[in-house]
Amino acid sequence: MMTTMMTRLRNTIRIFAVAQLLVAALWLVSFEFFINFEVAFLSAFLIMLGSMYSYSKLVQQRVAGYEGVNEDDLIEKIDDPYDLYDDTPVGEADEEADLKSVVKEEKKRLKGKGVKNLQKSAPAVVSIYRMIPYALLVFGFVGLQNNQMLSLFPYLTGLGFGIAVSFFSAKGLFTQKQ
């Protein structure tokens, strides 16, 4: 287990080092191009890495706390999720009142699930592993703008490159082969 994690970590560091060498070569173009690209690359790389790490932890916690579902209940829910084939007859006069109450109940249920899902995913959304890189992104952008060094083409290109490199790095680091 430990050797596979170390191998994954080494591969991630290698990918990052090769990417940094490519970024360092941009200094030959101009310092302004390099600094814009570098700030954007680092912030996008760290944001993606932090996001994937925090969501990976969240998924691991949910899997660890998962309680199995009874198969009969699951099949019933898939076959007839809205109880359309229920055998109890519905009266003609009550049908409109029942329909309104059913719609209200369904809206309440869906609203409750939205809040519940937000509460469950909140730790991953406000993770320190994401907030610090976002602060780096904002301060880097503002710093470049205040020093009249901001150039959008290298900045946006650096963001894209950082996202791509971090995706391949994090994919190898946080995915578990089974």
PDB file of all heavy atoms in Angstrom, residues 24 28 42 68 70 75 91 96 103 119 127 137 142 147 158 160 176:
ATOM      1  N   ALA A  24       9.305  27.229 -17.374  1.00  0.00           N
ATOM      2  CA  ALA A  24      10.538  28.003 -17.219  1.00  0.00           C
ATOM      3  C   ALA A  24      11.121  28.388 -18.577  1.00  0.00           C
ATOM      4  O   ALA A  24      11.747  29.449 -18.713  1.00  0.00           O
ATOM      5  CB  ALA A  24      11.562  27.220 -16.405  1.00  0.00           C
ATOM      6  N   LEU A  28      12.324  32.646 -21.880  1.00  0.00           N
ATOM      7  CA  LEU A  28      13.032  33.039 -23.097  1.00  0.00           C
ATOM      8  C   LEU A  28      12.158  33.927 -23.986  1.00  0.00           C
ATOM      9  O   LEU A  28      12.687  34.744 -24.743  1.00  0.00           O
ATOM     10  CB  LEU A  28      13.484  31.797 -23.872  1.00  0.00           C
ATOM     11  CG  LEU A  28      14.457  30.881 -23.123  1.00  0.00           C
ATOM     12  CD1 LEU A  28      14.691  29.607 -23.924  1.00  0.00           C
ATOM     13  CD2 LEU A  28      15.755  31.601 -22.826  1.00  0.00           C
ATOM     14  N   LEU A  42       0.308  27.823 -11.614  1.00  0.00           N
ATOM     15  CA  LEU A  42       0.388  27.350 -10.224  1.00  0.00           C
ATOM     16  C   LEU A  42      -0.967  27.402  -9.517  1.00  0.00           C
ATOM     17  O   LEU A  42      -1.342  26.461  -8.820  1.00  0.00           O
ATOM     18  CB  LEU A  42       1.412  28.158  -9.435  1.00  0.00           C
ATOM     19  CG  LEU A  42       2.865  27.798  -9.676  1.00  0.00           C
ATOM     20  CD1 LEU A  42       3.775  28.727  -8.901  1.00  0.00           C
ATOM     21  CD2 LEU A  42       3.143  26.355  -9.305  1.00  0.00           C
ATOM     22  N   GLY A  68     -25.998  -0.580   3.541  1.00  0.00           N
ATOM     23  CA  GLY A  68     -26.618  -1.236   2.388  1.00  0.00           C
ATOM     24  C   GLY A  68     -28.119  -1.021   2.337  1.00  0.00           C
ATOM     25  O   GLY A  68     -28.789  -0.819   3.338  1.00  0.00           O
ATOM     26  N   ASN A  70     -31.834  -2.567   1.208  1.00  0.00           N
ATOM     27  CA  ASN A  70     -32.516  -3.827   0.969  1.00  0.00           C
ATOM     28  C   ASN A  70     -32.822  -3.947  -0.519  1.00  0.00           C
ATOM     29  O   ASN A  70     -33.379  -3.025  -1.122  1.00  0.00           O
ATOM     30  CB  ASN A  70     -33.806  -3.880   1.789  1.00  0.00           C
ATOM     31  CG  ASN A  70     -34.459  -5.233   1.739  1.00  0.00           C
ATOM     32  OD1 ASN A  70     -34.045  -6.121   0.995  1.00  0.00           O
ATOM     33  ND2 ASN A  70     -35.496  -5.391   2.552  1.00  0.00           N
ATOM     34  N   ILE A  75     -35.469  -2.529  -5.807  1.00  0.00           N
ATOM     35  CA  ILE A  75     -36.166  -2.951  -7.027  1.00  0.00           C
ATOM     36  C   ILE A  75     -37.539  -2.298  -7.105  1.00  0.00           C
ATOM     37  O   ILE A  75     -37.951  -1.834  -8.170  1.00  0.00           O
ATOM     38  CB  ILE A  75     -36.271  -4.494  -7.075  1.00  0.00           C
ATOM     39  CG1 ILE A  75     -34.873  -5.091  -7.282  1.00  0.00           C
ATOM     40  CG2 ILE A  75     -37.217  -4.948  -8.174  1.00  0.00           C
ATOM     41  CD1 ILE A  75     -34.803  -6.586  -7.153  1.00  0.00           C
ATOM     42  N   GLY A  91     -60.651   8.821  -5.314  1.00  0.00           N
ATOM     43  CA  GLY A  91     -61.965   9.386  -5.605  1.00  0.00           C
ATOM     44  C   GLY A  91     -61.859  10.528  -6.606  1.00  0.00           C
ATOM     45  O   GLY A  91     -60.852  11.219  -6.690  1.00  0.00           O
ATOM     46  N   GLU A  96     -58.206  16.332  -7.473  1.00  0.00           N
ATOM     47  CA  GLU A  96     -57.545  17.619  -7.658  1.00  0.00           C
ATOM     48  C   GLU A  96     -56.867  18.074  -6.369  1.00  0.00           C
ATOM     49  O   GLU A  96     -55.747  18.563  -6.380  1.00  0.00           O
ATOM     50  CB  GLU A  96     -58.554  18.673  -8.122  1.00  0.00           C
ATOM     51  CG  GLU A  96     -57.885  19.964  -8.533  1.00  0.00           C
ATOM     52  CD  GLU A  96     -58.865  20.927  -9.172  1.00  0.00           C
ATOM     53  OE1 GLU A  96     -59.640  20.512 -10.033  1.00  0.00           O
ATOM     54  OE2 GLU A  96     -58.816  22.104  -8.770  1.00  0.00           O
ATOM     55  N   VAL A 103     -48.043  17.496  -5.104  1.00  0.00           N
ATOM     56  CA  VAL A 103     -47.055  18.406  -5.678  1.00  0.00           C
ATOM     57  C   VAL A 103     -46.343  19.180  -4.574  1.00  0.00           C
ATOM     58  O   VAL A 103     -45.110  19.329  -4.592  1.00  0.00           O
ATOM     59  CB  VAL A 103     -47.717  19.371  -6.694  1.00  0.00           C
ATOM     60  CG1 VAL A 103     -46.789  20.496  -7.083  1.00  0.00           C
ATOM     61  CG2 VAL A 103     -48.177  18.604  -7.923  1.00  0.00           C
ATOM     62  N   GLN A 119     -25.267  20.249   2.719  1.00  0.00           N
ATOM     63  CA  GLN A 119     -24.613  20.024   4.007  1.00  0.00           C
ATOM     64  C   GLN A 119     -23.577  18.918   3.920  1.00  0.00           C
ATOM     65  O   GLN A 119     -22.525  18.987   4.545  1.00  0.00           O
ATOM     66  CB  GLN A 119     -25.644  19.675   5.074  1.00  0.00           C
ATOM     67  CG  GLN A 119     -26.496  20.837   5.507  1.00  0.00           C
ATOM     68  CD  GLN A 119     -27.602  20.408   6.461  1.00  0.00           C
ATOM     69  OE1 GLN A 119     -27.953  19.239   6.556  1.00  0.00           O
ATOM     70  NE2 GLN A 119     -28.171  21.391   7.172  1.00  0.00           N
ATOM     71  N   SER A 127     -13.055  23.530   1.757  1.00  0.00           N
ATOM     72  CA  SER A 127     -11.823  22.922   2.243  1.00  0.00           C
ATOM     73  C   SER A 127     -10.660  23.907   2.164  1.00  0.00           C
ATOM     74  O   SER A 127     -10.556  24.705   1.231  1.00  0.00           O
ATOM     75  CB  SER A 127     -11.509  21.677   1.403  1.00  0.00           C
ATOM     76  OG  SER A 127     -10.231  21.208   1.671  1.00  0.00           O
ATOM     77  N   LEU A 137      -4.878  32.560  -6.530  1.00  0.00           N
ATOM     78  CA  LEU A 137      -5.378  32.986  -7.836  1.00  0.00           C
ATOM     79  C   LEU A 137      -5.790  34.455  -7.813  1.00  0.00           C
ATOM     80  O   LEU A 137      -5.385  35.234  -8.682  1.00  0.00           O
ATOM     81  CB  LEU A 137      -6.564  32.111  -8.251  1.00  0.00           C
ATOM     82  CG  LEU A 137      -7.264  32.482  -9.550  1.00  0.00           C
ATOM     83  CD1 LEU A 137      -6.432  32.029 -10.738  1.00  0.00           C
ATOM     84  CD2 LEU A 137      -8.643  31.861  -9.608  1.00  0.00           C
ATOM     85  N   VAL A 142      -4.591  40.101  -8.998  1.00  0.00           N
ATOM     86  CA  VAL A 142      -4.582  41.504  -8.557  1.00  0.00           C
ATOM     87  C   VAL A 142      -3.152  42.056  -8.549  1.00  0.00           C
ATOM     88  O   VAL A 142      -2.916  43.202  -8.958  1.00  0.00           O
ATOM     89  CB  VAL A 142      -5.244  41.633  -7.167  1.00  0.00           C
ATOM     90  CG1 VAL A 142      -5.027  43.010  -6.571  1.00  0.00           C
ATOM     91  CG2 VAL A 142      -6.728  41.318  -7.268  1.00  0.00           C
ATOM     92  N   ASN A 147       0.642  45.883 -10.865  1.00  0.00           N
ATOM     93  CA  ASN A 147       1.988  46.171 -11.379  1.00  0.00           C
ATOM     94  C   ASN A 147       2.010  46.359 -12.891  1.00  0.00           C
ATOM     95  O   ASN A 147       3.087  46.372 -13.491  1.00  0.00           O
ATOM     96  CB  ASN A 147       2.953  45.047 -10.972  1.00  0.00           C
ATOM     97  CG  ASN A 147       3.188  45.050  -9.489  1.00  0.00           C
ATOM     98  OD1 ASN A 147       3.378  46.096  -8.877  1.00  0.00           O
ATOM     99  ND2 ASN A 147       3.146  43.870  -8.886  1.00  0.00           N
ATOM    100  N   GLY A 158      -2.060  29.786 -19.324  1.00  0.00           N
ATOM    101  CA  GLY A 158      -1.510  29.163 -18.124  1.00  0.00           C
ATOM    102  C   GLY A 158      -2.579  28.481 -17.283  1.00  0.00           C
ATOM    103  O   GLY A 158      -2.341  27.413 -16.715  1.00  0.00           O
ATOM    104  N   GLY A 160      -5.344  27.117 -18.458  1.00  0.00           N
ATOM    105  CA  GLY A 160      -5.678  25.882 -19.171  1.00  0.00           C
ATOM    106  C   GLY A 160      -4.613  24.816 -19.015  1.00  0.00           C
ATOM    107  O   GLY A 160      -4.913  23.634 -18.795  1.00  0.00           O
ATOM    108  N   GLN A 176      -8.035   4.974  -7.251  1.00  0.00           N
ATOM    109  CA  GLN A 176      -7.576   3.688  -6.731  1.00  0.00           C
ATOM    110  C   GLN A 176      -7.878   2.623  -7.768  1.00  0.00           C
ATOM    111  O   GLN A 176      -8.997   2.509  -8.255  1.00  0.00           O
ATOM    112  CB  GLN A 176      -8.290   3.358  -5.429  1.00  0.00           C
ATOM    113  CG  GLN A 176      -7.949   4.319  -4.330  1.00  0.00           C
ATOM    114  CD  GLN A 176      -8.695   3.984  -3.049  1.00  0.00           C
ATOM    115  OE1 GLN A 176      -9.524   3.112  -3.020  1.00  0.00           O
ATOM    116  NE2 GLN A 176      -8.374   4.715  -1.998  1.00  0.00           N
TER     117      GLN A 176
END
